[in-house]
Amino acid sequence: MTHFLLVTIWNSWESIKKFAGENPELAKYYPEDDEFLLEKEKYVQHYEIFYEK
């Protein structure tokens, strides 16, 4: 079995909530995901990043 880590970068927590709903810690799946995933995690991990130009 292989696990993948998908990293996305968002502008704000509000942007995340617009996509994921009021509980952005809960994973969001689509109906077609059942065709491709062997198991679905209940929670997601959020990371805060910092960078300077």
Side-chain angles (χ1 to χ4, degrees):
M1 183 181 304
T2 302
H3 290 266
F4 294 92
L5 173 64
L6 174 65
V7 177
T8 59
I9 298 176
W10 298 79
N11 291 327
S12 67
W13 277 104
E14 288 306 313
S15 296
I16 295 170
K17 286 182 179 180
K18 284 181 183 178
F19 171 77
E22 283 302 311
N23 294 320
E25 301 83 19
L26 294 176
K28 181 173 182 174
Y29 293 101
Y30 296 96
E32 60 271 14
D33 291 337
D34 289 333
E35 185 177 343
F36 302 103
L37 300 173
L38 297 176
E39 58 185 55
K40 295 189 275 187
E41 300 288 335
K42 184 173 181 174
Y43 299 101
V44 299
Q45 180 69 45
H46 293 282
Y47 301 94
E48 293 191 30
I49 58 172
F50 173 80
Y51 71 95
E52 291 186 46
K53 290 186 177 186

